[in-house]
Amino acid sequence: MGLPQRLILTLLSIYLYSATVVNTQQEFKIQSVELIIEPRNDVTAGTNVTLRCHATVSTSTGKGLIREYTILKNDKIVYTKTIGSSEDFVYQLHNARVFSTGLYQCKLDIQGDTKLSKAQRLNVQGLSQPVLHLNTNVVNEGEEVQATCIAPGEIGSFIFFFFDNDEQISRVEGLSNQAKTTFRLSGADIHKIHCSYKIRTAEDTFPSTKSNNVTVSVKELSITPELKIFPDSTIYEGDHLNISCSAKNVHSSSEGYKLFLSQGTKLLRTGNSTINHNMVAVPKASEALTFDCRVVVRNVEKYSEKKISVVELFSVPSLTMSPTEVFQGQIMTLTCNSDGFASQRINREDLEYTLYPSKNLPSSGKPGVFNVKALQNDFNYTCSAEAKGIKKDSKTLMIRPKVHVSALKISIEDKVILKKSFTILCQSNGSLPINYTLFKDNVQVGTKVIREQNRQAVFMDVINEPGERQYRCEAKNSLHSNKTGSSQHLSVNVIVPLSQMTLAVIPSSLKISEGKELNFICSVNGTGPVTFKWYRTGSVVPLQTNTTTETYSNLEIKPVSKNDSDEYYCEASNGANKVRSENVNVQVFMAPWKKGLIVVACLLLLLLLVLLLVASMLNIKSKRDRREAAAELSVKPSSPKSDDPLTVNLTHDTDVYNAATDAVSFFDGKEGRVTNGTRHSVASVPADISNRSSYSIPATV
């Protein structure tokens, strides 16, 4: 690197550094960024289009800033450029094409601060007409033709199409505005070749118009296939066919060719010269035999086709059985027969029939008729018919021996109640379907057909009169036999619902004395067994439960007590219904001896009250006498001298009297009983305590 170049780099570095310093010292704000499409948004192909990016930026110093502009199309970057001026950024689209159609935006970046303009759509309309070139206008049948299709001036992603008389023969995709392809034309004819193309954008696909037509003449090859079949008249099954496949108009100068002989989709033989094939004619169901001879030379393929009909020598045999249903161990007849045969070639006696498996089969004496004993399980038979070396097999006949009905059972699911429907079930073992018949007292009631395994025949019936009925079932599963199975007789007793319930009490009087016996007797109309339950009102627990074949029952209570007074009722049920009696109110009174005892007790109590009253009156009188005696003593003269004998006696007598008076006052109201000094001990007090002088000490005069 020379000195001038180094100097230029140094100066450029200084300039960029100073610009960066200036930029870092400035404050700025990107106010807006706008994208303008000139001359307009909708243009025709070939127009020069300008994308102008106008930005409004405010700065603190007014000096220029380093700006990076980016043009985007459909959110993808198209072009990026950095400038140092505030002028608009311009991006040119010279000779705009349809591929230029899309959404454009302008992005401004200043020191990491970015702003994006609104999107503007550019629509470019009109594709150029494609141009087609062929390498030749005359070809031999099978030769290749090379074609080139050009889209002048177009850019983008292309799909080219090539057509032969409006039929598409090739398709090519690519990014180039021209495409090449090769193809072969067959048949002596004039072919008109043209092309077209499509341009794909992110949003849509735009088709072009058709190109120019180029005419191509094809010279057909003279070689042709030839197919021969012998015999060519009526062909019967088993006839030998001789088939040949060859090529005609072959010149020594012609290129090598190859022959293919086929029957339908089956390739029989191939070769480079005449092909001969021998086979036995075998008819195809409802279709003719199709043979195809093809010759291929220089990628040209030509063919000849023939169809022949083959008359069937005899039809495929069918195997049938008689009777149509058979039971285990039963002898049946199997018949193998071909319905149709070609009488021009064979007689019916020429047909030989064989049954498989064919072990130990008794002879019936008729062709194709076999007597067979049915096995215990399912088994298969087939048969074959053969004539003139041709053998045909029948379809497999699967035989399922049936099992006669057995173990027939009859049962009743519900309780049999008078005038109410009930269910009768019949079931047996045996092959389906099974026909069941129900009899009541040897009179037919109804029939049912069961077609599913483990299903029972269900009958409904109603009995309107009391008494016993006899039911039985019959079952049959053969259409050609009268053999049936019969069940045992089922005896049915009808339950008559309970009614007219009565409740009797013994004794008939509902007022009874303690210690007596009480009997309740409950009776109903209906059939047993009947369950009787006895209750006291207010209790859900029965006093007694009894099941009996009789239509009555009793409850005995002995001996009754006062606690047995209550209301009683009974309930009865027999499987058909439940009835309840009216409530009976029982009152238990006191026993007579208890009443007499109470009377005696009352009389004794009354006597005691009288005695207490008399004692109280005597007590009152005694108190009055004492008060009178005390009053008499209080009026006597002053006390005598103490040494006077009479005075001493009177004083002593007065003390004794006072003590006795106090004692009487203490026992007043004590019912004439006093304690004797010990707990629970009493001593009697004299009945007459009013004569106080009897307890005084007589005075000595």
Side-chain angles (χ1 to χ4, degrees), residues 494-684:
V494 183
I495 300 176
V496 179
L498 301 179
S499 62
Q500 299 180 6
M501 187 175 197
T502 58
L503 177 59
V505 183
I506 299 175
S508 59
S509 174
L510 298 182
K511 297 180 180 181
I512 187 172
S513 299
E514 289 179 310
K516 301 292 185 179
E517 291 185 5
L518 180 62
N519 279 280
F520 297 93
I521 300 176
C522 193
S523 63
V524 292
N525 288 342
T527 57
V530 182
T531 298
F532 291 91
K533 293 183 180 181
W534 307 86
Y535 294 90
R536 295 179 69 162
T537 57
S539 175
V540 296
V541 180
L543 299 173
Q544 177 180 297
T545 300
N546 182 31
T547 300
T548 176
T549 56
E550 304 293 340
T551 57
Y552 60 88
S553 182
N554 72 299
L555 170 67
E556 182 179 1
I557 302 176
K558 65 176 182 178
V560 295
S561 64
K562 186 69 174 177
N563 293 332
D564 294 322
S565 296
D566 207 339
E567 289 187 350
Y568 294 82
Y569 67 91
C570 75
E571 286 183 353
S573 61
N574 68 343
N577 64 334
K578 181 170 69 174
V579 293
R580 170 181 165 165
S581 71
E582 297 290 337
N583 291 351
V584 174
N585 190 1
V586 175
Q587 296 181 5
V588 180
F589 292 92
M590 188 178 297
W593 66 270
K594 286 186 178 181
K595 292 181 179 179
L597 183 62
I598 291 173
V599 170
V600 172
C602 290
L603 292 176
L604 291 176
L605 180 60
L606 181 61
L607 178 60
L608 179 60
L609 292 176
V610 171
L611 293 176
L612 290 177
L613 179 61
V614 171
S616 177
M617 294 177 63
L618 293 176
N619 186 28
I620 293 172
K621 181 176 182 303
S622 174
K623 288 182 179 180
R624 186 170 62 250
D625 291 343
R626 287 198 303 271
R627 284 196 296 269
E628 291 175 355
E632 292 177 357
L633 292 176
S634 61
V635 297
K636 290 185 178 183
S638 303
S639 300
K641 293 181 182 180
S642 60
D643 54 356
D644 189 343
L646 180 58
T647 302
V648 173
N649 288 335
L650 289 174
T651 301
H652 181 266
D653 184 57
T654 300
D655 293 336
V656 172
Y657 174 81
N658 290 335
T661 302
D662 293 338
V664 171
S665 299
F666 176 79
F667 286 107
D668 280 347
K670 304 300 182 181
E671 298 184 357
R673 302 177 68 89
V674 297
T675 60
N676 61 3
T678 63
R679 190 177 181 181
H680 304 303
S681 302
V682 294
S684 298

Side-chain angles (χ1 to χ4, degrees), residues 283-299:
K284 193 174 183 180
S286 70
E287 291 184 16
L289 300 182
T290 302
F291 294 92
D292 183 284
C293 176
R294 291 178 182 264
V295 58
V296 179
V297 57
R298 292 191 306 193
N299 296 318

Side-chain angles (χ1 to χ4, degrees), residues 88-89 118 154 196-197 265 268 281 427 437 440 443 468 507 627 631 653 666 675:
D88 292 349
F89 171 69
K118 291 183 178 179
E154 300 296 338
S196 65
Y197 66 91
T265 58
L268 300 177
Q427 187 174 18
T437 304
K440 178 172 69 174
V443 177
E468 186 179 70
R627 284 196 296 269
D653 184 57
F666 176 79
T675 60

Side-chain angles (χ1 to χ4, degrees), residues 30 85 99 170 218 534 565 582 621 698:
I30 303 175
S85 67
F99 186 73
S170 182
V218 179
W534 307 86
S565 296
E582 297 290 337
K621 181 176 182 303

Side-chain angles (χ1 to χ4, degrees), residues 334-448:
L334 299 181
T335 303
C336 184
N337 181 53
S338 292
D339 295 331
F341 62 95
S343 59
Q344 297 86 347
R345 294 293 181 93
I346 63 172
N347 298 318
R348 183 171 292 278
E349 291 76 14
D350 295 331
L351 291 171
E352 295 182 3
Y353 298 99
T354 306
L355 183 68
Y356 303 97
S358 56
K359 294 181 179 180
N360 302 324
L361 294 178
S363 176
S364 65
K366 296 181 180 180
V369 179
F370 307 91
N371 294 324
V372 180
K373 184 177 183 180
L375 303 179
Q376 298 296 315
N377 49 10
D378 296 353
F379 53 97
N380 297 330
Y381 280 105
T382 59
C383 75
S384 66
E386 186 174 1
K388 292 188 177 295
I390 298 175
K391 184 178 180 181
K392 297 181 180 181
D393 294 324
S394 70
K395 293 182 179 180
T396 300
L397 175 65
M398 184 176 68
I399 300 176
R400 291 183 173 177
K402 299 183 68 174
V403 179
H404 283 292
V405 293
S406 62
L408 182 57
K409 297 179 181 179
I410 183 172
S411 61
I412 293 180
E413 189 176 57
D414 308 316
K415 295 178 180 178
V416 182
I417 300 173
L418 186 68
K419 296 183 180 181
K420 288 189 177 182
S421 63
F422 61 97
T423 303
I424 303 172
L425 304 177
C426 295
Q427 187 174 18
S428 68
N429 298 328
S431 300
L432 299 173
I434 301 177
N435 294 295
Y436 290 92
T437 304
L438 178 67
F439 294 88
K440 178 172 69 174
D441 295 334
N442 293 322
V443 177
Q444 181 175 326
V445 175
T447 60
K448 296 284 183 179

